[in-house]
Amino acid sequence: MTIIVPIHRRRDPVPEHQGAANSPAQVQTSLAGAVTLGMERGRFGGNVHLRGLNLLLLYESGCRARCTYCGLAKDRPEVSERARNHTFIRVKWPTYGTEDILARVKDDCGAMQRVCVAMVQDHRAFADSNAVMRRFRDETSMGISALITATVVRSREMVEEILEAGADMFTVAFDACTPELFDRTRGRGARGPHRWEHHWQVLRWGVEVFGRFKTGVHLVCGLGETERQMAEMIQRVHDCGAHTHLFAFFPEAGTVMQDVDPAPMGHYRRIQVARYLINHGVGRVEEMRFNDAGQIVEFGCDIAPLLADGEAFMTSGCAGHDGRNACNRPFGNERPSMRQRNHPMPLDAAARALAAVELREDLRT
């Protein structure tokens, strides 16, 4: 999202919200969303355009969780002062009135196919998320993804309320792929409220209510996992009836993990391919071969024809009306000056060739 160059606005700007900021009357949107809707100056370079609008609930008290890698963490010093003034995933998430966002979406002529409404850890988030989704259900034709905070969802009936509010996709942010990593980065080890087994219970409720593969799981690559651990988690998620949406960890200033390096490119590329094979039902983790370091050395099938179009290396997320990924989050994990881990648009021949080389990087024989 940081490949944004100042240009003249296409329309008169909507001023960013000032004063007390609380959902559902106000929401944050990614900088990419604000630019696409003409609410911030800028443009994307190249052939990039946003296909899905990401919205984030907010409260003056901030998020109540303490995830060690997250810019919204309660213990991030500057966030505790006023959450709306600070970054999440390293870029600005400006705050606007929900009415203003809806007005711009209606003027978007369907270019963005999906809206994702994300909760934070707060007791008000469940009702407020549903209130925002109902507005989009009643006033737009966009697909609606509910990115829920599992800890505030306490029953199957609450999941049914999310479906009734208009969501057609239900997504659970696990982020960490093992119970130990989850506890250390999000749970008791981080003095946080989240619990591994409860996330699994909420995911199962989601599959029951929304249906198989109408539910997704967010996983963050680079929190300390091995490739084998991540592939095994992706397989478990798939067998449960959900798809995995993969994110790349990058350190955010002021967080516990601000000095931790991102995972090597080869590590990420191999996990991307494992996710692609498993999500498409053409490979399983049991067919893959791993070395002593837990790296994937064989995928169990001929991957060359499967990777020829480069789709495996594109951003993963919920699909739009056309069946293609709508949540393409341009540059949401890395700066444009870096090698792109998540390509927001189809890869050209040079990018596909580079990804094939990167797939073998850092691999121990």
Side-chain angles (χ1 to χ4, degrees):
M1 283 181 287
T2 49
I3 189 165
I4 290 176
V5 181
I7 60 169
H8 294 296
R9 293 182 179 94
R10 293 173 295 168
R11 299 167 252 188
D12 292 335
V14 175
E16 187 175 344
H17 178 78
Q18 301 296 323
N22 286 290
S23 294
Q26 288 85 38
V27 291
Q28 291 176 280
T29 184
S30 67
L31 183 56
V35 168
T36 299
L37 292 176
M39 303 172 95
E40 290 270 336
R41 291 179 182 269
R43 64 176 173 83
F44 297 112
N47 189 36
V48 175
H49 60 272
L50 186 68
R51 287 174 48 82
L53 179 65
N54 296 98
L55 301 181
L56 180 68
L57 300 188
L58 80 158
Y59 303 98
E60 283 291 289
S61 54
C63 181
R64 301 287 185 175
R66 290 185 166 90
C67 303
T68 59
Y69 49 88
C70 182
L72 299 179
K74 183 178 180 180
D75 291 340
R76 188 183 179 195
E78 59 268 40
V79 170
S80 62
E81 299 170 11
R82 180 166 289 188
R84 69 182 179 86
N85 287 336
H86 300 280
T87 62
F88 174 48
I89 326 179
R90 300 177 299 99
V91 298
K92 182 181 178 183
W93 282 65
T95 301
Y96 294 103
T98 303
E99 293 286 350
D100 296 331
I101 294 283
L102 277 163
R104 291 301 178 109
V105 165
K106 293 173 187 177
D107 193 33
D108 182 55
C109 301
M112 288 188 292
Q113 298 198 8
R114 177 167 291 277
V115 60
C116 178
V117 181
M119 299 182 188
V120 294
Q121 181 62 37
D122 186 282
H123 69 278
R124 296 165 286 184
F126 175 76
D128 292 342
S129 175
N130 286 346
V132 173
M133 289 190 294
R134 287 190 187 99
R135 294 293 305 277
F136 278 86
R137 177 198 66 189
D138 294 343
E139 300 178 42
T140 79
S141 61
M142 300 173 80
I144 301 173
S145 296
L147 176 51
I148 61 102
T149 297
T151 303
V152 306
V153 177
R154 309 305 305 177
S155 68
R156 189 182 190 277
E157 288 70 27
M158 293 178 76
V159 178
E160 292 171 349
E161 288 185 52
I162 294 171
L163 178 66
E164 183 278 331
D168 63 348
M169 288 293 297
F170 179 87
T171 308
V172 181
F174 274 74
D175 293 355
C177 70
T178 72
E180 296 77 17
L181 281 174
F182 187 97
D183 183 77
R184 187 165 76 232
T185 59
R186 312 196 69 200
R188 292 185 178 91
R191 297 182 299 116
H194 303 310
R195 300 294 179 263
W196 174 261
E197 286 304 328
H198 180 68
H199 275 60
W200 276 106
Q201 179 59 71
V202 173
L203 178 63
R204 288 189 288 267
W205 287 333
V207 173
E208 291 172 6
V209 171
F210 280 78
R212 288 179 64 82
F213 305 114
K214 299 295 287 182
T215 299
V217 165
H218 284 192
L219 292 176
V220 176
C221 179
L223 300 182
E225 76 288 332
T226 67
E227 294 167 28
R228 180 170 197 150
Q229 288 170 332
M230 185 65 85
E232 288 174 343
M233 176 63 169
I234 293 168
Q235 187 67 64
R236 182 179 177 187
V237 168
H238 186 268
D239 291 347
C240 182
H243 284 312
T244 295
H245 306 153
L246 196 62
F247 294 73
F249 165 77
F250 279 88
E252 186 145 14
T255 64
V256 174
M257 294 181 66
Q258 66 177 357
D259 296 321
V260 176
D261 291 330
M265 179 64 83
H267 178 91
Y268 194 71
R269 287 285 183 245
R270 289 185 289 275
I271 290 173
Q272 279 183 309
V273 172
R275 185 208 69 86
Y276 182 84
L277 298 178
I278 293 169
N279 272 14
H280 284 77
V282 295
R284 291 190 60 86
V285 71
E286 297 89 351
E287 299 165 351
M288 299 176 189
R289 189 168 68 83
F290 302 86
N291 62 19
D292 291 342
Q295 295 177 308
I296 304 170
V297 294
E298 290 183 8
F299 289 95
C301 63
D302 180 10
I303 63 173
L306 300 172
L307 305 184
D309 62 1
E311 183 183 345
F313 307 112
M314 292 176 63
T315 307
S316 51
C318 298
H321 301 311
D322 59 5
R324 295 167 47 225
N325 177 38
C327 187
N328 61 334
R329 307 184 301 277
F331 312 102
N333 288 138
E334 56 266 300
R335 292 179 174 86
S337 58
M338 304 171 66
R339 287 191 292 169
Q340 298 300 302
R341 284 166 165 79
N342 299 287
H343 290 270
M345 303 300 291
L347 284 67
D348 60 22
R352 294 195 300 271
L354 177 59
V357 173
E358 291 169 337
L359 189 61
R360 306 298 299 177
E361 283 188 13
D362 312 302
L363 186 60
R364 303 180 193 175
T365 56

